[in-house]
Amino acid sequence: MNVRELEKNVLVNYNLVYCFNNNNNNNNNKEAEKILKYKDLTIEIQRMWHVKTKVIPVIIGATGTISDSFRKYVSNIPGKHEVKELQKTAILSTAHILRKVLL
């Protein structure tokens, strides 16, 4: 794999926040947390492979809540992404987990 191929690759870490609080504050905090958490990995990838890197936090609340900057972050990921579909996936995942725990 050469450097040009590496420049096209995207590493995305997505996170489902299991918090039933509907305010965006928790999502904003989680975004900042993820950016700080992966800062060292970003620096290491830049050093090893000589490519530009950036962390794109994709945080969706358990009830489908998203932060104000969510759409901006998702637009940085190559491909087509429907926000409603991502929210639907988060809600269905939450329902699945609740079903497993409660039944």
Side-chain angles (χ1 to χ4, degrees):
M1 185 178 295
N2 63 31
V3 174
R4 288 179 188 212
E5 289 174 1
L6 285 174
E7 288 175 346
K8 296 176 185 174
N9 293 334
V10 176
L11 177 64
V12 177
N13 175 269
Y14 64 93
N15 195 17
L16 178 61
V17 180
Y18 294 106
C19 176
F20 293 96
N21 187 352
N22 282 334
N23 78 26
N24 286 343
N25 236 3
N26 192 40
N27 288 358
N28 291 336
N29 291 343
K30 286 292 180 185
E31 284 177 355
E33 211 176 278
K34 289 295 174 186
I35 290 171
L36 287 174
K37 179 179 179 181
Y38 290 103
K39 188 66 178 167
D40 291 337
L41 178 62
T42 301
I43 293 168
E44 189 66 27
I45 290 172
Q46 286 175 347
R47 280 190 200 143
M48 287 176 60
W49 296 335
H50 308 289
V51 294
K52 269 187 157 181
T53 58
K54 77 175 162 182
V55 177
I56 303 172
V58 178
I59 310 290
I60 303 174
T63 57
T65 56
I66 59 174
S67 68
D68 299 331
S69 54
F70 180 80
R71 283 173 175 45
K72 179 186 77 170
Y73 285 129
V74 170
S75 69
N76 290 325
I77 301 172
K80 183 180 176 190
H81 307 284
E82 291 288 328
V83 174
K84 288 182 182 180
E85 289 297 317
L86 296 171
Q87 289 175 310
K88 179 180 172 183
T89 302
I91 292 168
L92 290 174
S93 297
T94 301
H96 176 72
I97 290 168
L98 288 173
R99 249 185 256 114
K100 281 176 100 175
V101 170
L102 298 176
L103 299 178

PDB file of all heavy atoms in Angstrom, residues 11 13 35-49 53 55:
ATOM      1  N   LEU A  11     -10.641   6.278   8.772  1.00  0.00           N
ATOM      2  CA  LEU A  11     -10.871   5.509   9.983  1.00  0.00           C
ATOM      3  C   LEU A  11     -11.947   6.229  10.781  1.00  0.00           C
ATOM      4  O   LEU A  11     -11.766   7.371  11.173  1.00  0.00           O
ATOM      5  CB  LEU A  11      -9.582   5.411  10.797  1.00  0.00           C
ATOM      6  CG  LEU A  11      -9.661   4.689  12.133  1.00  0.00           C
ATOM      7  CD1 LEU A  11     -10.013   3.226  11.932  1.00  0.00           C
ATOM      8  CD2 LEU A  11      -8.357   4.824  12.872  1.00  0.00           C
ATOM      9  N   ASN A  13     -14.656   6.080  14.031  1.00  0.00           N
ATOM     10  CA  ASN A  13     -15.103   5.457  15.265  1.00  0.00           C
ATOM     11  C   ASN A  13     -16.470   6.032  15.581  1.00  0.00           C
ATOM     12  O   ASN A  13     -16.612   7.226  15.741  1.00  0.00           O
ATOM     13  CB  ASN A  13     -14.118   5.762  16.390  1.00  0.00           C
ATOM     14  CG  ASN A  13     -14.608   5.238  17.716  1.00  0.00           C
ATOM     15  OD1 ASN A  13     -15.284   5.949  18.441  1.00  0.00           O
ATOM     16  ND2 ASN A  13     -14.283   4.013  18.021  1.00  0.00           N
ATOM     17  N   ILE A  35     -12.533  13.394  20.562  1.00  0.00           N
ATOM     18  CA  ILE A  35     -11.454  14.107  19.890  1.00  0.00           C
ATOM     19  C   ILE A  35     -10.183  14.042  20.734  1.00  0.00           C
ATOM     20  O   ILE A  35      -9.095  13.753  20.218  1.00  0.00           O
ATOM     21  CB  ILE A  35     -11.863  15.563  19.593  1.00  0.00           C
ATOM     22  CG1 ILE A  35     -12.937  15.581  18.499  1.00  0.00           C
ATOM     23  CG2 ILE A  35     -10.660  16.402  19.175  1.00  0.00           C
ATOM     24  CD1 ILE A  35     -13.581  16.924  18.276  1.00  0.00           C
ATOM     25  N   LEU A  36     -10.312  14.250  22.037  1.00  0.00           N
ATOM     26  CA  LEU A  36      -9.147  14.169  22.924  1.00  0.00           C
ATOM     27  C   LEU A  36      -8.618  12.740  23.030  1.00  0.00           C
ATOM     28  O   LEU A  36      -7.407  12.517  23.047  1.00  0.00           O
ATOM     29  CB  LEU A  36      -9.500  14.691  24.315  1.00  0.00           C
ATOM     30  CG  LEU A  36      -9.659  16.201  24.431  1.00  0.00           C
ATOM     31  CD1 LEU A  36     -10.154  16.581  25.823  1.00  0.00           C
ATOM     32  CD2 LEU A  36      -8.343  16.902  24.130  1.00  0.00           C
ATOM     33  N   LYS A  37      -9.529  11.769  23.089  1.00  0.00           N
ATOM     34  CA  LYS A  37      -9.141  10.374  23.240  1.00  0.00           C
ATOM     35  C   LYS A  37      -8.282   9.895  22.067  1.00  0.00           C
ATOM     36  O   LYS A  37      -7.317   9.157  22.245  1.00  0.00           O
ATOM     37  CB  LYS A  37     -10.386   9.490  23.354  1.00  0.00           C
ATOM     38  CG  LYS A  37     -10.091   8.021  23.482  1.00  0.00           C
ATOM     39  CD  LYS A  37     -11.365   7.220  23.624  1.00  0.00           C
ATOM     40  CE  LYS A  37     -11.068   5.743  23.735  1.00  0.00           C
ATOM     41  NZ  LYS A  37     -12.300   4.949  23.860  1.00  0.00           N
ATOM     42  N   TYR A  38      -8.636  10.326  20.862  1.00  0.00           N
ATOM     43  CA  TYR A  38      -7.940   9.844  19.682  1.00  0.00           C
ATOM     44  C   TYR A  38      -6.849  10.782  19.183  1.00  0.00           C
ATOM     45  O   TYR A  38      -6.284  10.567  18.117  1.00  0.00           O
ATOM     46  CB  TYR A  38      -8.950   9.538  18.565  1.00  0.00           C
ATOM     47  CG  TYR A  38      -9.778   8.331  18.912  1.00  0.00           C
ATOM     48  CD1 TYR A  38     -11.082   8.465  19.359  1.00  0.00           C
ATOM     49  CD2 TYR A  38      -9.233   7.058  18.838  1.00  0.00           C
ATOM     50  CE1 TYR A  38     -11.831   7.355  19.711  1.00  0.00           C
ATOM     51  CE2 TYR A  38      -9.962   5.942  19.184  1.00  0.00           C
ATOM     52  CZ  TYR A  38     -11.265   6.102  19.620  1.00  0.00           C
ATOM     53  OH  TYR A  38     -11.996   5.004  19.982  1.00  0.00           O
ATOM     54  N   LYS A  39      -6.530  11.811  19.928  1.00  0.00           N
ATOM     55  CA  LYS A  39      -5.486  12.754  19.534  1.00  0.00           C
ATOM     56  C   LYS A  39      -4.135  12.054  19.401  1.00  0.00           C
ATOM     57  O   LYS A  39      -3.416  12.271  18.419  1.00  0.00           O
ATOM     58  CB  LYS A  39      -5.400  13.898  20.556  1.00  0.00           C
ATOM     59  CG  LYS A  39      -4.491  15.005  20.132  1.00  0.00           C
ATOM     60  CD  LYS A  39      -5.061  15.709  18.920  1.00  0.00           C
ATOM     61  CE  LYS A  39      -4.169  16.859  18.517  1.00  0.00           C
ATOM     62  NZ  LYS A  39      -4.513  17.355  17.205  1.00  0.00           N
ATOM     63  N   ASP A  40      -3.792  11.202  20.358  1.00  0.00           N
ATOM     64  CA  ASP A  40      -2.516  10.484  20.301  1.00  0.00           C
ATOM     65  C   ASP A  40      -2.448   9.560  19.088  1.00  0.00           C
ATOM     66  O   ASP A  40      -1.413   9.472  18.422  1.00  0.00           O
ATOM     67  CB  ASP A  40      -2.286   9.675  21.577  1.00  0.00           C
ATOM     68  CG  ASP A  40      -2.037  10.554  22.782  1.00  0.00           C
ATOM     69  OD1 ASP A  40      -1.616  11.711  22.588  1.00  0.00           O
ATOM     70  OD2 ASP A  40      -2.281  10.095  23.915  1.00  0.00           O
ATOM     71  N   LEU A  41      -3.551   8.864  18.798  1.00  0.00           N
ATOM     72  CA  LEU A  41      -3.590   7.981  17.636  1.00  0.00           C
ATOM     73  C   LEU A  41      -3.426   8.785  16.346  1.00  0.00           C
ATOM     74  O   LEU A  41      -2.715   8.372  15.429  1.00  0.00           O
ATOM     75  CB  LEU A  41      -4.907   7.200  17.597  1.00  0.00           C
ATOM     76  CG  LEU A  41      -5.100   6.268  16.407  1.00  0.00           C
ATOM     77  CD1 LEU A  41      -4.036   5.185  16.389  1.00  0.00           C
ATOM     78  CD2 LEU A  41      -6.493   5.665  16.435  1.00  0.00           C
ATOM     79  N   THR A  42      -4.059   9.954  16.285  1.00  0.00           N
ATOM     80  CA  THR A  42      -3.943  10.829  15.124  1.00  0.00           C
ATOM     81  C   THR A  42      -2.488  11.234  14.895  1.00  0.00           C
ATOM     82  O   THR A  42      -1.982  11.155  13.771  1.00  0.00           O
ATOM     83  CB  THR A  42      -4.808  12.095  15.331  1.00  0.00           C
ATOM     84  OG1 THR A  42      -6.152  11.707  15.516  1.00  0.00           O
ATOM     85  CG2 THR A  42      -4.706  13.032  14.162  1.00  0.00           C
ATOM     86  N   ILE A  43      -1.821  11.637  15.944  1.00  0.00           N
ATOM     87  CA  ILE A  43      -0.411  12.043  15.843  1.00  0.00           C
ATOM     88  C   ILE A  43       0.450  10.863  15.409  1.00  0.00           C
ATOM     89  O   ILE A  43       1.334  11.003  14.549  1.00  0.00           O
ATOM     90  CB  ILE A  43       0.074  12.633  17.185  1.00  0.00           C
ATOM     91  CG1 ILE A  43      -0.637  13.952  17.457  1.00  0.00           C
ATOM     92  CG2 ILE A  43       1.587  12.816  17.187  1.00  0.00           C
ATOM     93  CD1 ILE A  43      -0.470  14.475  18.867  1.00  0.00           C
ATOM     94  N   GLU A  44       0.197   9.696  15.969  1.00  0.00           N
ATOM     95  CA  GLU A  44       0.972   8.503  15.626  1.00  0.00           C
ATOM     96  C   GLU A  44       0.794   8.116  14.159  1.00  0.00           C
ATOM     97  O   GLU A  44       1.762   7.782  13.468  1.00  0.00           O
ATOM     98  CB  GLU A  44       0.552   7.342  16.532  1.00  0.00           C
ATOM     99  CG  GLU A  44       1.427   6.126  16.431  1.00  0.00           C
ATOM    100  CD  GLU A  44       2.839   6.369  16.934  1.00  0.00           C
ATOM    101  OE1 GLU A  44       3.039   7.236  17.793  1.00  0.00           O
ATOM    102  OE2 GLU A  44       3.752   5.675  16.455  1.00  0.00           O
ATOM    103  N   ILE A  45      -0.426   8.172  13.644  1.00  0.00           N
ATOM    104  CA  ILE A  45      -0.678   7.849  12.235  1.00  0.00           C
ATOM    105  C   ILE A  45       0.019   8.860  11.335  1.00  0.00           C
ATOM    106  O   ILE A  45       0.606   8.496  10.312  1.00  0.00           O
ATOM    107  CB  ILE A  45      -2.195   7.794  11.945  1.00  0.00           C
ATOM    108  CG1 ILE A  45      -2.802   6.567  12.630  1.00  0.00           C
ATOM    109  CG2 ILE A  45      -2.479   7.781  10.455  1.00  0.00           C
ATOM    110  CD1 ILE A  45      -4.314   6.508  12.582  1.00  0.00           C
ATOM    111  N   GLN A  46      -0.015  10.136  11.721  1.00  0.00           N
ATOM    112  CA  GLN A  46       0.670  11.169  10.931  1.00  0.00           C
ATOM    113  C   GLN A  46       2.169  10.899  10.866  1.00  0.00           C
ATOM    114  O   GLN A  46       2.788  11.023   9.806  1.00  0.00           O
ATOM    115  CB  GLN A  46       0.421  12.551  11.533  1.00  0.00           C
ATOM    116  CG  GLN A  46      -0.955  13.082  11.285  1.00  0.00           C
ATOM    117  CD  GLN A  46      -1.210  14.398  12.004  1.00  0.00           C
ATOM    118  OE1 GLN A  46      -0.439  14.805  12.877  1.00  0.00           O
ATOM    119  NE2 GLN A  46      -2.298  15.059  11.658  1.00  0.00           N
ATOM    120  N   ARG A  47       2.751  10.525  11.976  1.00  0.00           N
ATOM    121  CA  ARG A  47       4.191  10.260  12.024  1.00  0.00           C
ATOM    122  C   ARG A  47       4.571   9.012  11.221  1.00  0.00           C
ATOM    123  O   ARG A  47       5.548   9.004  10.487  1.00  0.00           O
ATOM    124  CB  ARG A  47       4.644  10.058  13.468  1.00  0.00           C
ATOM    125  CG  ARG A  47       4.830  11.328  14.215  1.00  0.00           C
ATOM    126  CD  ARG A  47       5.512  11.062  15.539  1.00  0.00           C
ATOM    127  NE  ARG A  47       5.276  12.171  16.436  1.00  0.00           N
ATOM    128  CZ  ARG A  47       5.075  12.059  17.730  1.00  0.00           C
ATOM    129  NH1 ARG A  47       5.075  10.873  18.316  1.00  0.00           N
ATOM    130  NH2 ARG A  47       4.872  13.123  18.468  1.00  0.00           N
ATOM    131  N   MET A  48       3.789   7.943  11.394  1.00  0.00           N
ATOM    132  CA  MET A  48       4.139   6.675  10.757  1.00  0.00           C
ATOM    133  C   MET A  48       3.918   6.684   9.243  1.00  0.00           C
ATOM    134  O   MET A  48       4.744   6.159   8.500  1.00  0.00           O
ATOM    135  CB  MET A  48       3.319   5.539  11.370  1.00  0.00           C
ATOM    136  CG  MET A  48       3.749   5.158  12.766  1.00  0.00           C
ATOM    137  SD  MET A  48       2.693   3.897  13.486  1.00  0.00           S
ATOM    138  CE  MET A  48       2.886   2.563  12.352  1.00  0.00           C
ATOM    139  N   TRP A  49       2.795   7.241   8.804  1.00  0.00           N
ATOM    140  CA  TRP A  49       2.420   7.111   7.399  1.00  0.00           C
ATOM    141  C   TRP A  49       2.520   8.410   6.619  1.00  0.00           C
ATOM    142  O   TRP A  49       2.225   8.441   5.426  1.00  0.00           O
ATOM    143  CB  TRP A  49       1.004   6.562   7.287  1.00  0.00           C
ATOM    144  CG  TRP A  49       0.872   5.175   7.824  1.00  0.00           C
ATOM    145  CD1 TRP A  49       1.861   4.231   7.931  1.00  0.00           C
ATOM    146  CD2 TRP A  49      -0.303   4.563   8.317  1.00  0.00           C
ATOM    147  NE1 TRP A  49       1.366   3.074   8.463  1.00  0.00           N
ATOM    148  CE2 TRP A  49       0.026   3.255   8.712  1.00  0.00           C
ATOM    149  CE3 TRP A  49      -1.615   4.981   8.473  1.00  0.00           C
ATOM    150  CZ2 TRP A  49      -0.882   2.372   9.231  1.00  0.00           C
ATOM    151  CZ3 TRP A  49      -2.530   4.092   8.999  1.00  0.00           C
ATOM    152  CH2 TRP A  49      -2.165   2.804   9.374  1.00  0.00           C
ATOM    153  N   THR A  53      -4.387  13.566   9.024  1.00  0.00           N
ATOM    154  CA  THR A  53      -5.451  12.848   9.723  1.00  0.00           C
ATOM    155  C   THR A  53      -6.302  13.835  10.508  1.00  0.00           C
ATOM    156  O   THR A  53      -5.828  14.910  10.889  1.00  0.00           O
ATOM    157  CB  THR A  53      -4.889  11.806  10.709  1.00  0.00           C
ATOM    158  OG1 THR A  53      -4.050  12.473  11.644  1.00  0.00           O
ATOM    159  CG2 THR A  53      -4.112  10.717  10.009  1.00  0.00           C
ATOM    160  N   VAL A  55      -9.839  13.603  13.414  1.00  0.00           N
ATOM    161  CA  VAL A  55     -10.838  12.814  14.116  1.00  0.00           C
ATOM    162  C   VAL A  55     -12.217  13.361  13.756  1.00  0.00           C
ATOM    163  O   VAL A  55     -12.444  14.567  13.807  1.00  0.00           O
ATOM    164  CB  VAL A  55     -10.621  12.892  15.642  1.00  0.00           C
ATOM    165  CG1 VAL A  55     -11.703  12.133  16.381  1.00  0.00           C
ATOM    166  CG2 VAL A  55      -9.253  12.359  16.005  1.00  0.00           C
TER     167      VAL A  55
END
